[in-house]
Amino acid sequence: IAMASERLGQLFVWEWKSESYILKQQGHAVDVEHLSYSPDGTYLATAGDDCKIKIWNTENSFCFVTFSEHKAAITGLEFITNKGNAILSASKDGTVRAFDLIRYRNFRTFTTPKPVQFTSLACDGADIVCAGSFDPYDIYMWSIKTGDLLDVLSGHTGPVSTLKFAPIAETYLVSGGWDRTARVWNIFTKNTPVEVIYEGADQVTSVDINSSGKEISIATLSGQVIIYDKEDGSARTTLDCHNDIRGGRLSDDRNI
């Protein structure tokens, strides 16, 4: 017997002889804010304001595991390794969590000395995880292997809205925030000054780095995308996407 609930977003298949469920599927209860593909494309992870992380099989579209450890909205989601057997998440509940997709468990929880709300997340691939916070405006860096807090990066004067690690061949981290700046951090080199590559009139909503690590793209709240040359810090191109997004989120609909 198959049963569906529109309000709950659930699908049940009931086997009446054994009086047990043979299939249960449920989507997110509210907004889905984050998506992340596993490196091989086998899995798709989703997370959002219902505090849950769901892992979907891209071949049959079934959700095969749900993690419910977070107690507030999830603000970042990223697979850890090239094998795609673990995933990281950040949340407004003040935790960054690592989940094992083989044993289906939360095997590591990263916290700060004083409670904060996390607004962004980035992982270097296997060893380091960073998370930006709402207040204070810092970036926290942990070792994935040990769970130790390695460093706290200070400099932003507003919530850190986005983080991105350069490809493995490079060794830097890019951050953007509501203080209208984007910064480059050489976190593996001591006593290296922070480079501010963008300081404009608009809040930074997203940053990305190309596969060579030589170009950095910065998206702003006004709908501009600015592409920077990492070597000399100059702006190569500016894309004005304002007209393309006018029908979307308004400037007073800000959400971190």
Side-chain angles (χ1 to χ4, degrees):
I1 302 173
M3 298 168 284
S5 169
E6 179 182 9
R7 183 174 65 84
L8 299 176
Q10 292 178 331
L11 170 65
F12 296 99
V13 179
W14 178 266
E15 209 276 324
W16 65 273
K17 289 185 178 180
S18 63
E19 297 184 352
S20 62
Y21 293 116
I22 61 173
L23 176 63
K24 177 182 178 182
Q25 289 287 289
Q26 181 171 359
H28 287 277
V30 290
D31 296 351
V32 177
E33 298 285 353
H34 300 278
L35 300 170
S36 182
Y37 269 108
S38 63
D40 62 1
T42 302
Y43 304 142
L44 175 66
T46 60
D49 292 344
D50 61 357
C51 315
K52 295 180 179 179
I53 300 168
K54 291 181 174 288
I55 313 297
W56 307 79
N57 186 308
T58 57
E59 294 183 359
N60 56 30
S61 302
F62 284 147
C63 173
F64 62 90
V65 63
T66 299
F67 298 113
S68 305
E69 281 78 1
H70 282 297
K71 305 304 179 186
I74 295 167
T75 54
L77 195 65
E78 189 169 334
F79 279 89
I80 296 179
T81 66
N82 292 331
K83 296 180 180 179
N85 55 12
I87 193 166
L88 288 161
S89 60
S91 170
K92 290 182 179 179
D93 66 7
T95 65
V96 172
R97 296 177 182 269
F99 297 92
D100 185 342
L101 298 184
I102 297 176
R103 299 179 179 86
Y104 305 133
R105 63 188 181 92
N106 177 193
F107 70 90
R108 190 82 71 200
T109 301
F110 308 95
T111 57
T112 55
K114 294 182 179 180
V116 300
Q117 289 185 314
F118 291 120
T119 53
S120 52
L121 177 74
C123 175
D124 74 338
D127 299 321
I128 302 296
V129 57
C130 290
S133 65
F134 181 79
D135 187 14
Y137 315 126
D138 295 330
I139 301 168
Y140 297 86
M141 183 170 65
W142 298 270
S143 165
I144 295 175
K145 293 180 180 179
T146 65
D148 294 335
L149 180 64
L150 302 177
D151 202 357
V152 179
L153 309 178
S154 301
H156 280 286
T157 57
V160 182
S161 56
T162 180
L163 295 171
K164 186 70 177 182
F165 269 102
I168 296 175
E170 302 290 332
T171 57
Y172 65 88
L173 172 74
V174 178
S175 64
W178 291 105
D179 60 354
R180 299 176 173 86
T181 68
R183 300 163 185 259
V184 176
W185 311 79
N186 291 295
I187 60 174
F188 301 108
T189 304
K190 292 184 177 180
N191 302 320
T192 302
V194 179
E195 180 183 359
V196 179
I197 59 171
Y198 171 81
E199 192 168 11
D202 300 310
Q203 292 89 344
V204 177
T205 58
S206 183
V207 297
D208 206 354
I209 305 168
N210 74 345
S211 58
S212 69
K214 305 301 182 184
E215 286 186 351
I216 301 171
S217 296
I218 299 169
T220 68
L221 191 65
S222 65
Q224 285 190 328
V225 178
I226 308 167
I227 301 175
Y228 282 88
D229 186 315
K230 171 61 175 58
E231 298 300 320
D232 59 20
S234 62
R236 285 187 176 180
T237 308
T238 299
L239 308 177
D240 191 352
C241 307
H242 178 72
N243 290 334
D244 298 322
I245 64 173
R246 288 180 65 184
R249 194 175 71 184
L250 301 178
S251 60
D252 57 357
D253 294 336
R254 297 171 186 169
N255 180 32
I256 295 182

